[in-house]
Structures are given as structure tokens and as C-alpha cells.
Coordinates of all heavy atoms in Angstrom, one line a residue:
M206 N 1.0 5.9 11.1 CA 1.3 7.3 11.0 C 0.0 7.9 10.4 O -0.6 7.5 9.5 CB 2.5 7.5 10.1 CG 2.6 9.0 9.7 SD 3.9 9.3 8.4 CE 5.4 9.0 9.3
K207 N -0.4 9.0 11.0 CA -1.6 9.8 10.6 C -1.2 11.1 9.9 O -0.3 11.8 10.4 CB -2.5 10.1 11.7 CG -3.1 8.8 12.3 CD -4.0 9.1 13.5 CE -4.5 7.8 14.1 NZ -5.5 8.0 15.1
R208 N -1.8 11.4 8.8 CA -1.6 12.7 8.2 C -2.8 13.2 7.6 O -3.8 12.4 7.3 CB -0.4 12.7 7.3 CG -0.6 11.7 6.1 CD 0.7 11.6 5.3 NE 0.3 10.8 4.1 CZ 1.0 10.9 3.0 NH1 2.0 11.7 2.8 NH2 0.6 10.2 2.0
T209 N -2.9 14.5 7.3 CA -4.0 15.1 6.7 C -3.8 15.3 5.2 O -2.7 15.8 4.8 CB -4.3 16.5 7.4 OG1 -4.6 16.2 8.8 CG2 -5.5 17.1 6.8
L210 N -4.8 15.0 4.4 CA -4.7 15.2 3.0 C -5.7 16.3 2.6 O -6.9 16.1 2.8 CB -5.0 13.9 2.3 CG -4.9 13.8 0.8 CD1 -3.5 14.0 0.3 CD2 -5.5 12.4 0.3
A211 N -5.2 17.4 2.2 CA -6.0 18.5 1.7 C -5.8 18.7 0.2 O -4.7 19.0 -0.2 CB -5.7 19.8 2.5
L212 N -6.9 18.6 -0.5 CA -6.9 18.7 -2.0 C -7.8 19.8 -2.5 O -9.0 19.8 -2.1 CB -7.3 17.3 -2.6 CG -6.3 16.2 -2.4 CD1 -6.9 14.9 -3.0 CD2 -5.0 16.5 -3.2
D213 N -7.3 20.6 -3.3 CA -8.1 21.6 -4.0 C -8.8 20.9 -5.1 O -8.4 19.9 -5.6 CB -7.3 22.8 -4.5 CG -6.8 23.7 -3.3 OD1 -7.6 23.8 -2.3 OD2 -5.8 24.3 -3.5
T214 N -9.9 21.6 -5.6 CA -10.6 21.0 -6.7 C -9.7 20.6 -7.9 O -8.9 21.4 -8.3 CB -11.7 22.0 -7.2 OG1 -12.5 22.4 -6.1 CG2 -12.6 21.4 -8.3
D215 N -9.9 19.5 -8.4 CA -9.2 18.9 -9.6 C -7.7 18.7 -9.3 O -6.9 18.5 -10.3 CB -9.3 19.8 -10.8 CG -10.8 19.9 -11.3 OD1 -11.5 18.8 -11.1 OD2 -11.2 20.9 -11.8
H216 N -7.2 18.7 -8.1 CA -5.8 18.4 -7.8 C -5.8 16.9 -7.4 O -6.7 16.3 -6.8 CB -5.3 19.2 -6.6 CG -4.9 20.6 -7.1 ND1 -5.8 21.7 -6.9 CD2 -3.8 21.1 -7.7 CE1 -5.2 22.7 -7.4 NE2 -4.0 22.4 -7.9
F217 N -4.6 16.3 -7.7 CA -4.4 14.8 -7.5 C -3.4 14.6 -6.4 O -2.5 15.4 -6.1 CB -3.9 14.2 -8.7 CG -4.9 14.2 -9.9 CD1 -4.9 15.3 -10.8 CD2 -5.8 13.1 -10.1 CE1 -5.8 15.3 -11.8 CE2 -6.6 13.2 -11.1 CZ -6.6 14.2 -12.0
A218 N -3.5 13.4 -5.8 CA -2.5 12.9 -4.9 C -2.3 11.4 -5.2 O -3.2 10.7 -5.5 CB -2.9 13.1 -3.4
T219 N -1.1 11.0 -5.0 CA -0.8 9.5 -5.2 C -0.6 8.9 -3.8 O 0.1 9.4 -3.0 CB 0.5 9.4 -6.0 OG1 0.4 10.1 -7.2 CG2 0.9 7.9 -6.3
L220 N -1.2 7.7 -3.7 CA -1.1 7.0 -2.4 C -0.5 5.6 -2.7 O -0.9 5.0 -3.7 CB -2.5 6.8 -1.8 CG -3.4 8.1 -1.6 CD1 -4.7 7.7 -1.0 CD2 -2.7 9.0 -0.7
R221 N 0.3 5.2 -1.8 CA 0.9 3.9 -2.0 C 0.9 3.1 -0.7 O 1.2 3.6 0.3 CB 2.4 4.0 -2.5 CG 2.6 4.6 -3.8 CD 4.0 4.7 -4.2 NE 4.2 5.3 -5.5 CZ 4.3 4.6 -6.6 NH1 4.3 3.3 -6.6 NH2 4.5 5.2 -7.7
G222 N 0.6 1.8 -0.8 CA 0.6 0.9 0.3 C -0.6 1.0 1.2 O -1.6 1.6 1.0
A223 N -0.5 0.2 2.3 CA -1.6 0.0 3.2 C -1.9 1.3 4.0 O -1.1 1.9 4.6 CB -1.2 -1.1 4.2
A224 N -3.2 1.7 3.8 CA -3.7 2.9 4.5 C -5.2 2.9 4.6 O -5.9 2.2 3.8 CB -3.2 4.1 3.8
R225 N -5.7 3.6 5.6 CA -7.1 3.9 5.7 C -7.3 5.3 5.4 O -6.7 6.2 6.0 CB -7.6 3.5 7.1 CG -9.1 3.9 7.2 CD -9.7 3.6 8.6 NE -9.8 2.2 8.7 CZ -9.4 1.4 9.8 NH1 -8.8 2.1 10.8 NH2 -9.5 0.1 9.8
L226 N -8.2 5.6 4.5 CA -8.6 7.0 4.1 C -9.9 7.3 4.6 O -10.9 6.6 4.4 CB -8.6 7.1 2.6 CG -8.8 8.4 1.9 CD1 -7.6 9.4 2.2 CD2 -9.0 8.3 0.4
H227 N -10.0 8.4 5.4 CA -11.3 8.8 6.0 C -11.6 10.2 5.5 O -10.8 11.2 5.7 CB -11.3 8.8 7.5 CG -12.5 9.4 8.1 ND1 -13.7 8.7 8.2 CD2 -12.8 10.7 8.6 CE1 -14.6 9.5 8.7 NE2 -14.1 10.7 9.0
V228 N -12.7 10.4 4.8 CA -13.0 11.7 4.2 C -13.7 12.5 5.2 O -14.8 12.1 5.7 CB -13.9 11.5 2.9 CG1 -14.2 12.9 2.3 CG2 -13.2 10.6 1.9
S229 N -13.2 13.7 5.5 CA -13.8 14.6 6.5 C -14.7 15.6 5.9 O -15.7 16.0 6.4 CB -12.7 15.3 7.3 OG -11.8 14.4 7.9
R230 N -14.3 16.1 4.7 CA -15.1 17.1 4.0 C -14.9 17.0 2.5 O -13.8 16.6 2.0 CB -14.5 18.5 4.4 CG -15.3 19.7 3.8 CD -14.8 21.0 4.3 NE -13.4 21.2 3.7 CZ -12.4 21.8 4.4 NH1 -12.6 22.2 5.6 NH2 -11.3 22.0 3.8
G231 N -15.9 17.2 1.7 CA -15.9 17.2 0.3 C -16.1 15.8 -0.3 O -16.5 14.9 0.4
T232 N -15.8 15.7 -1.6 CA -15.9 14.4 -2.3 C -14.6 14.1 -3.0 O -14.0 14.9 -3.6 CB -17.1 14.5 -3.3 OG1 -18.3 14.9 -2.7 CG2 -17.3 13.2 -4.0
L233 N -14.2 12.8 -2.8 CA -13.0 12.3 -3.5 C -13.3 11.2 -4.5 O -14.2 10.4 -4.3 CB -12.0 11.8 -2.4 CG -11.5 12.7 -1.4 CD1 -10.6 11.9 -0.4 CD2 -10.6 13.8 -2.1
W234 N -12.6 11.2 -5.6 CA -12.6 10.2 -6.5 C -11.3 9.4 -6.3 O -10.2 10.0 -6.2 CB -12.7 10.7 -8.0 CG -12.3 9.7 -9.0 CD1 -13.1 8.7 -9.5 CD2 -11.1 9.6 -9.8 NE1 -12.5 8.0 -10.5 CE2 -11.2 8.6 -10.7 CE3 -9.9 10.4 -9.8 CZ2 -10.2 8.2 -11.6 CZ3 -8.9 10.0 -10.6 CH2 -9.1 8.9 -11.5
L235 N -11.4 8.0 -6.2 CA -10.2 7.2 -6.0 C -10.2 6.1 -7.0 O -11.2 5.4 -7.3 CB -10.4 6.6 -4.6 CG -9.3 5.6 -4.1 CD1 -8.1 6.3 -3.5 CD2 -9.9 4.6 -3.2
T236 N -9.0 5.9 -7.6 CA -8.8 4.8 -8.5 C -7.5 4.1 -8.1 O -6.5 4.7 -7.7 CB -8.7 5.3 -10.0 OG1 -8.7 4.1 -10.8 CG2 -7.5 6.2 -10.2
I237 N -7.6 2.7 -8.1 CA -6.5 1.9 -7.7 C -5.9 1.2 -9.0 O -6.7 0.6 -9.8 CB -6.9 0.9 -6.7 CG1 -7.4 1.6 -5.4 CG2 -5.7 -0.1 -6.4 CD1 -7.9 0.6 -4.4
D238 N -4.6 1.3 -9.2 CA -3.9 0.8 -10.3 C -4.2 -0.7 -10.4 O -4.1 -1.5 -9.5 CB -2.4 1.0 -10.2 CG -1.7 0.6 -11.5 OD1 -2.2 0.7 -12.6 OD2 -0.5 0.2 -11.3
G239 N -4.7 -1.2 -11.6 CA -5.0 -2.6 -11.8 C -6.4 -3.0 -11.5 O -6.7 -4.2 -11.7
E240 N -7.2 -2.2 -10.8 CA -8.6 -2.6 -10.5 C -9.5 -1.9 -11.5 O -9.4 -0.7 -11.8 CB -8.9 -2.1 -9.0 CG -8.1 -3.0 -8.0 CD -8.7 -2.8 -6.6 OE1 -9.7 -2.1 -6.4 OE2 -8.0 -3.3 -5.7
P241 N -10.6 -2.6 -11.9 CA -11.5 -2.1 -12.9 C -12.4 -1.0 -12.4 O -12.9 -0.2 -13.1 CB -12.3 -3.3 -13.3 CG -12.2 -4.3 -12.2 CD -10.9 -4.0 -11.5
D242 N -12.7 -1.0 -11.1 CA -13.7 -0.1 -10.5 C -13.0 1.1 -9.8 O -12.0 1.0 -9.2 CB -14.6 -0.8 -9.5 CG -15.4 -1.9 -10.1 OD1 -15.9 -1.7 -11.3 OD2 -15.7 -2.9 -9.5
D243 N -13.6 2.3 -10.0 CA -13.2 3.5 -9.3 C -14.2 3.7 -8.1 O -15.2 3.0 -8.1 CB -13.3 4.7 -10.2 CG -12.2 4.6 -11.3 OD1 -11.3 3.8 -11.2 OD2 -12.3 5.4 -12.3
H244 N -13.8 4.6 -7.2 CA -14.6 4.8 -6.0 C -14.9 6.3 -5.8 O -13.9 7.1 -6.0 CB -14.0 4.2 -4.8 CG -13.6 2.8 -5.0 ND1 -14.4 1.8 -4.8 CD2 -12.4 2.2 -5.4 CE1 -13.8 0.6 -5.0 NE2 -12.6 0.9 -5.4
V245 N -16.1 6.7 -5.5 CA -16.4 8.1 -5.1 C -16.7 8.1 -3.6 O -17.6 7.3 -3.2 CB -17.5 8.6 -6.0 CG1 -17.9 10.0 -5.5 CG2 -17.1 8.7 -7.4
L246 N -16.0 8.8 -2.9 CA -16.1 8.9 -1.4 C -16.6 10.2 -1.0 O -16.0 11.2 -1.4 CB -14.8 8.5 -0.7 CG -14.1 7.2 -1.2 CD1 -12.7 7.1 -0.6 CD2 -14.9 6.0 -0.8
G247 N -17.6 10.3 -0.1 CA -18.1 11.5 0.4 C -17.7 11.7 1.9 O -17.1 10.8 2.5
A248 N -18.0 12.8 2.5 CA -17.7 13.1 3.9 C -18.3 12.0 4.8 O -19.4 11.6 4.6 CB -18.3 14.4 4.3
G249 N -17.4 11.5 5.7 CA -17.8 10.4 6.5 C -17.4 9.0 6.0 O -17.5 8.0 6.8
D250 N -17.1 8.9 4.8 CA -16.7 7.6 4.2 C -15.3 7.2 4.5 O -14.4 8.1 4.7 CB -16.8 7.6 2.7 CG -18.3 7.6 2.2 OD1 -19.2 7.3 3.0 OD2 -18.5 8.0 1.0
D251 N -15.1 5.9 4.7 CA -13.8 5.3 4.9 C -13.4 4.4 3.7 O -14.4 3.7 3.2 CB -13.7 4.5 6.2 CG -13.8 5.4 7.4 OD1 -12.9 6.2 7.6 OD2 -14.7 5.1 8.2
F252 N -12.2 4.3 3.4 CA -11.7 3.3 2.4 C -10.4 2.8 2.8 O -9.5 3.5 3.2 CB -11.6 4.0 1.0 CG -11.4 3.0 -0.1 CD1 -12.5 2.5 -0.7 CD2 -10.1 2.6 -0.5 CE1 -12.3 1.5 -1.8 CE2 -9.9 1.7 -1.5 CZ -11.0 1.1 -2.1
V253 N -10.2 1.4 2.8 CA -9.0 0.8 3.2 C -8.2 0.3 1.9 O -8.8 -0.4 1.1 CB -9.2 -0.4 4.1 CG1 -7.9 -1.1 4.5 CG2 -9.9 0.1 5.4
L254 N -7.0 0.8 1.8 CA -6.1 0.4 0.7 C -5.3 -0.8 1.1 O -4.7 -0.8 2.2 CB -5.2 1.6 0.3 CG -5.9 2.8 -0.2 CD1 -4.9 4.0 -0.1 CD2 -6.3 2.6 -1.7
P255 N -5.3 -1.8 0.2 CA -4.4 -3.0 0.6 C -2.9 -2.6 0.5 O -2.5 -1.6 -0.1 CB -4.8 -4.0 -0.5 CG -5.4 -3.2 -1.6 CD -6.0 -1.9 -1.0
P256 N -2.1 -3.5 1.0 CA -0.6 -3.2 1.1 C 0.0 -3.0 -0.2 O 1.0 -2.2 -0.3 CB -0.1 -4.5 1.8 CG -1.2 -5.1 2.4 CD -2.4 -4.8 1.7
T257 N -0.5 -3.6 -1.3 CA 0.2 -3.4 -2.6 C -0.4 -2.3 -3.4 O 0.0 -2.1 -4.6 CB 0.1 -4.8 -3.4 OG1 -1.3 -5.1 -3.5 CG2 0.9 -5.9 -2.7
A258 N -1.3 -1.6 -2.9 CA -2.1 -0.6 -3.6 C -1.2 0.6 -4.1 O -0.3 1.1 -3.4 CB -3.2 0.0 -2.8
R259 N -1.5 1.0 -5.3 CA -1.0 2.3 -5.9 C -2.2 3.0 -6.3 O -2.9 2.5 -7.3 CB 0.0 2.1 -7.0 CG 1.3 1.5 -6.6 CD 2.3 1.3 -7.7 NE 1.6 0.7 -8.9 CZ 2.1 0.7 -10.1 NH1 3.3 1.3 -10.3 NH2 1.5 0.2 -11.1
A260 N -2.6 4.1 -5.7 CA -3.9 4.7 -6.0 C -3.7 6.2 -6.3 O -2.7 6.8 -5.9 CB -4.8 4.6 -4.7
L261 N -4.7 6.7 -7.0 CA -4.7 8.1 -7.3 C -6.0 8.7 -6.8 O -7.1 8.0 -6.9 CB -4.7 8.3 -8.9 CG -4.6 9.7 -9.4 CD1 -3.2 10.3 -9.0 CD2 -4.7 9.7 -10.9
V262 N -6.0 9.8 -6.1 CA -7.1 10.4 -5.5 C -7.3 11.8 -5.9 O -6.2 12.5 -6.1 CB -7.1 10.2 -3.9 CG1 -6.0 11.0 -3.3 CG2 -8.4 10.6 -3.3
Q263 N -8.5 12.3 -6.2 CA -8.7 13.6 -6.7 C -10.0 14.2 -6.0 O -10.9 13.5 -5.7 CB -9.0 13.6 -8.2 CG -9.4 14.9 -8.8 CD -9.9 14.8 -10.2 OE1 -10.0 13.7 -10.8 NE2 -10.1 15.9 -10.8
A264 N -9.9 15.5 -5.7 CA -11.0 16.2 -5.1 C -12.0 16.5 -6.3 O -11.6 17.0 -7.3 CB -10.6 17.5 -4.4
L265 N -13.3 16.3 -6.0 CA -14.3 16.6 -7.0 C -15.1 17.8 -6.6 O -15.5 17.9 -5.4 CB -15.2 15.4 -7.2 CG -14.6 14.1 -7.8 CD1 -15.6 13.0 -7.8 CD2 -14.0 14.4 -9.1
D266 N -15.4 18.7 -7.5 CA -16.4 19.8 -7.3 C -16.0 20.9 -6.3 O -16.3 22.0 -6.4 CB -17.8 19.3 -6.9 CG -18.3 18.3 -7.9 OD1 -18.1 18.6 -9.1 OD2 -19.1 17.4 -7.6
A267 N -15.3 20.5 -5.2 CA -14.9 21.5 -4.2 C -13.7 20.9 -3.4 O -13.4 19.7 -3.5 CB -16.1 21.7 -3.2
P268 N -13.0 21.8 -2.7 CA -11.8 21.3 -1.9 C -12.3 20.2 -1.0 O -13.4 20.2 -0.5 CB -11.3 22.5 -1.2 CG -11.7 23.7 -2.0 CD -13.1 23.2 -2.6
A269 N -11.4 19.2 -0.8 CA -11.7 18.1 0.1 C -10.6 17.9 1.2 O -9.5 18.3 1.0 CB -11.8 16.8 -0.7
L270 N -11.0 17.3 2.3 CA -10.1 17.1 3.4 C -10.3 15.7 3.9 O -11.4 15.2 4.0 CB -10.4 18.1 4.5 CG -9.5 18.1 5.7 CD1 -8.1 18.6 5.3 CD2 -10.1 19.0 6.8
A271 N -9.2 15.0 4.0 CA -9.3 13.6 4.4 C -8.1 13.3 5.4 O -7.1 13.9 5.4 CB -9.2 12.6 3.2
R272 N -8.3 12.2 6.2 CA -7.3 11.8 7.1 C -6.7 10.5 6.5 O -7.5 9.6 6.1 CB -7.8 11.5 8.5 CG -6.7 11.1 9.5 CD -7.2 10.9 10.9 NE -8.0 9.6 10.9 CZ -9.2 9.5 11.3 NH1 -9.9 10.5 11.7 NH2 -9.8 8.3 11.3
L273 N -5.4 10.3 6.5 CA -4.8 9.1 5.9 C -4.0 8.5 7.1 O -3.1 9.1 7.6 CB -3.8 9.5 4.8 CG -3.2 8.4 4.0 CD1 -4.3 7.6 3.3 CD2 -2.2 8.9 3.0
D274 N -4.4 7.3 7.4 CA -3.7 6.5 8.5 C -3.0 5.4 7.8 O -3.6 4.5 7.2 CB -4.7 5.9 9.5 CG -5.6 7.0 10.2 OD1 -5.1 8.1 10.4 OD2 -6.7 6.7 10.6
T275 N -1.7 5.4 7.8 CA -0.9 4.3 7.2 C -0.9 3.2 8.2 O -0.8 3.4 9.4 CB 0.5 4.8 6.8 OG1 1.1 5.3 7.9 CG2 0.4 5.8 5.7
M276 N -0.9 2.0 7.6 CA -1.0 0.7 8.4 C 0.2 -0.1 8.1 O 0.5 -0.4 7.0 CB -2.3 0.0 8.2 CG -3.5 0.8 8.5 SD -4.9 -0.1 7.9 CE -5.9 1.3 7.3
G277 N 0.9 -0.6 9.1 CA 2.0 -1.5 9.0 C 1.7 -2.9 8.7 O 0.5 -3.3 8.7
E278 N 2.7 -3.7 8.4 CA 2.5 -5.1 8.1 C 1.8 -5.9 9.2 O 1.0 -6.7 9.0 CB 3.9 -5.7 7.8 CG 3.8 -7.1 7.3 CD 5.2 -7.7 7.0 OE1 6.1 -6.9 6.6 OE2 5.4 -8.9 7.2
A279 N 2.1 -5.5 10.5 CA 1.4 -6.2 11.6 C -0.1 -6.1 11.6 O -0.8 -7.0 11.9 CB 2.0 -5.7 12.9
W280 N -0.5 -4.9 11.2 CA -2.0 -4.6 11.1 C -2.6 -5.6 10.1 O -3.6 -6.2 10.3 CB -2.3 -3.2 10.8 CG -3.7 -2.8 10.8 CD1 -4.4 -2.4 11.9 CD2 -4.6 -2.9 9.8 NE1 -5.7 -2.2 11.6 CE2 -5.9 -2.5 10.2 CE3 -4.5 -3.3 8.4 CZ2 -7.0 -2.4 9.4 CZ3 -5.7 -3.2 7.6 CH2 -6.9 -2.8 8.1
W281 N -2.0 -5.7 8.9 CA -2.5 -6.5 7.9 C -2.4 -8.0 8.2 O -3.3 -8.8 7.9 CB -1.7 -6.3 6.5 CG -2.3 -5.0 5.9 CD1 -1.7 -3.8 5.9 CD2 -3.6 -4.9 5.2 NE1 -2.6 -2.9 5.2 CE2 -3.7 -3.6 4.8 CE3 -4.6 -5.8 5.0 CZ2 -4.8 -3.1 4.1 CZ3 -5.7 -5.4 4.3 CH2 -5.8 -4.0 3.9
R282 N -1.4 -8.4 9.0 CA -1.4 -9.8 9.4 C -2.6 -10.1 10.3 O -3.2 -11.2 10.2 CB -0.1 -10.1 10.2 CG 1.0 -10.5 9.2 CD 2.2 -11.2 10.0 NE 2.7 -10.4 11.1 CZ 3.7 -9.5 11.0 NH1 4.3 -9.3 9.9 NH2 4.0 -8.8 12.1
G283 N -2.9 -9.1 11.2 CA -4.1 -9.3 12.1 C -5.4 -9.4 11.3 O -6.3 -10.3 11.6
V284 N -5.5 -8.6 10.2 CA -6.7 -8.7 9.3 C -6.8 -10.1 8.7 O -7.8 -10.7 8.6 CB -6.7 -7.6 8.3 CG1 -7.8 -7.8 7.2 CG2 -6.9 -6.2 9.0
A285 N -5.6 -10.5 8.1 CA -5.6 -11.8 7.4 C -5.9 -12.9 8.4 O -6.7 -13.8 8.0 CB -4.2 -12.0 6.8
N286 N -5.4 -12.9 9.6 CA -5.7 -14.0 10.6 C -7.2 -14.0 11.0 O -7.8 -15.0 11.1 CB -4.8 -13.8 11.8 CG -3.4 -14.1 11.5 OD1 -3.1 -14.8 10.6 ND2 -2.5 -13.6 12.4
A287 N -7.8 -12.8 11.2 CA -9.2 -12.7 11.5 C -10.1 -13.2 10.4 O -11.1 -13.9 10.6 CB -9.5 -11.3 11.9
T288 N -9.7 -12.9 9.1 CA -10.4 -13.4 8.0 C -10.3 -14.9 7.9 O -11.4 -15.6 7.6 CB -9.9 -12.7 6.7 OG1 -10.0 -11.3 6.9 CG2 -10.7 -13.1 5.5
R289 N -9.1 -15.5 8.0 CA -9.0 -16.9 7.9 C -9.8 -17.6 9.0 O -10.5 -18.6 8.8 CB -7.5 -17.3 8.1 CG -6.8 -17.2 6.8 CD -5.4 -18.0 6.9 NE -4.5 -17.3 7.8 CZ -3.8 -16.3 7.5 NH1 -3.8 -15.8 6.3 NH2 -2.9 -15.7 8.3
A290 N -9.8 -17.0 10.2 CA -10.6 -17.6 11.3 C -12.1 -17.6 11.0 O -12.8 -18.5 11.3 CB -10.3 -16.9 12.6
A291 N -12.6 -16.5 10.5 CA -14.0 -16.4 10.1 C -14.4 -17.4 9.1 O -15.5 -18.0 9.2 CB -14.3 -14.9 9.7
W292 N -13.5 -17.6 8.1 CA -13.9 -18.6 7.0 C -13.8 -20.0 7.5 O -14.4 -20.9 6.9 CB -12.9 -18.4 5.8 CG -13.4 -17.2 5.0 CD1 -12.8 -16.0 4.9 CD2 -14.5 -17.2 4.1 NE1 -13.5 -15.2 4.0 CE2 -14.5 -15.9 3.5 CE3 -15.5 -18.1 3.7 CZ2 -15.5 -15.5 2.6 CZ3 -16.4 -17.7 2.8 CH2 -16.4 -16.5 2.2
A293 N -13.0 -20.2 8.6 CA -12.8 -21.6 9.1 C -14.0 -22.1 9.9 O -14.2 -23.3 10.1 CB -11.5 -21.7 9.9
R294 N -14.8 -21.1 10.4 CA -16.0 -21.5 11.2 C -17.0 -22.1 10.3 O -17.3 -21.7 9.2 CB -16.6 -20.3 11.9 CG -15.7 -19.7 13.0 CD -16.5 -18.7 13.8 NE -16.8 -17.5 13.1 CZ -16.1 -16.4 13.2 NH1 -15.1 -16.3 14.0 NH2 -16.5 -15.3 12.4
P295 N -17.7 -23.1 10.8 CA -18.8 -23.8 10.0 C -20.0 -22.8 9.8 O -20.2 -21.9 10.7 CB -19.2 -25.0 10.8 CG -18.7 -24.7 12.2 CD -17.6 -23.8 12.1
A296 N -20.6 -22.9 8.7 CA -21.7 -22.1 8.3 C -23.0 -22.5 9.1 O -23.1 -23.7 9.4 CB -22.0 -22.1 6.8
T297 N -23.8 -21.6 9.4 CA -25.1 -21.9 10.0 C -26.2 -21.8 8.9 O -26.3 -20.8 8.2 CB -25.4 -20.9 11.1 OG1 -24.4 -21.0 12.1 CG2 -26.8 -21.2 11.8
V298 N -27.0 -22.9 8.8 CA -28.0 -22.8 7.8 C -29.3 -22.4 8.4 O -29.7 -22.9 9.4 CB -28.2 -24.3 7.1 CG1 -29.4 -24.3 6.2 CG2 -26.9 -24.7 6.5
L299 N -29.9 -21.3 7.9 CA -31.2 -20.8 8.4 C -32.3 -21.4 7.5 O -32.2 -21.4 6.3 CB -31.2 -19.3 8.3 CG -30.0 -18.6 9.1 CD1 -30.0 -17.1 8.8 CD2 -30.1 -18.9 10.6
S300 N -33.3 -21.8 8.2 CA -34.5 -22.3 7.4 C -35.6 -21.4 7.3 O -35.7 -20.4 7.9 CB -35.0 -23.6 8.0 OG -35.2 -23.5 9.4

């Protein structure tokens, strides 16, 4: 499901679960519950939230516009399978 997230300066939104956030305009501050690092995203940036994420996002300095694409469990299974397959391949040693 795709939806638009429009935030005025200093307004917050709560995000839950698997989603891809694409910033179209402005700057967003993003913090995920339980993670030590915060993220600042500018226009053109993408951020993928894991399935268990509980996040808070805020517009900084000026109104911001972002697209939020929620991702179902099947999408995450595909990511997990691709990651396992990549790690299973033998490494190439470059000299």
C-alpha cells in the first residue's frame, strides 16, 4: 500500500512495521525504537523499516513530503532468501 506523508515543521508521525520511506521534499529526522542511531533523510533518500520497527519521523526546518510504501510479509521473505543466498556463495579473494 502506498500513501503520502506530509509533515509540517516540527510535526511528528509514528510508523509501524515493514515499509520503505522515500523523501520527496524537505528533510526528515527518523528514530527507531530500540536502536541507538537516528537518521536524517533528505530529498531523494530512501529508508527501509524492518517488519518489527516502531519509528518516529519529524520534519526538520521546513515542511516535508515523503512516500510510504508498506511491505507485506512475502516481500520480507524474499529479502531474507536473497540475503541467505548471497551469504552462502563462496567469497572471492582478490590479490
Side-chain angles (χ1 to χ4, degrees):
M206 172 189 285
K207 295 181 182 185
R208 60 186 187 155
T209 300
L210 182 65
L212 291 171
D213 286 329
T214 305
D215 296 330
H216 283 96
F217 295 89
T219 303
L220 308 177
R221 293 180 183 266
R225 175 179 290 134
L226 184 67
H227 174 79
V228 182
S229 304
R230 182 180 68 219
T232 304
L233 295 176
W234 165 76
L235 175 89
T236 186
I237 299 174
D238 188 33
E240 290 193 6
D242 297 325
D243 293 346
H244 309 275
V245 176
L246 309 171
D250 288 343
D251 289 303
F252 191 89
V253 177
L254 295 163
T257 58
R259 291 184 312 165
L261 187 65
V262 64
Q263 175 188 8
L265 298 176
D266 301 327
L270 187 64
R272 186 181 71 235
L273 187 65
D274 300 330
T275 56
M276 299 172 217
E278 186 178 326
W280 185 89
W281 279 103
R282 274 198 306 269
V284 169
N286 291 338
T288 302
R289 276 195 292 278
W292 281 104
R294 288 192 294 260
T297 302
V298 178
L299 303 174
S300 48

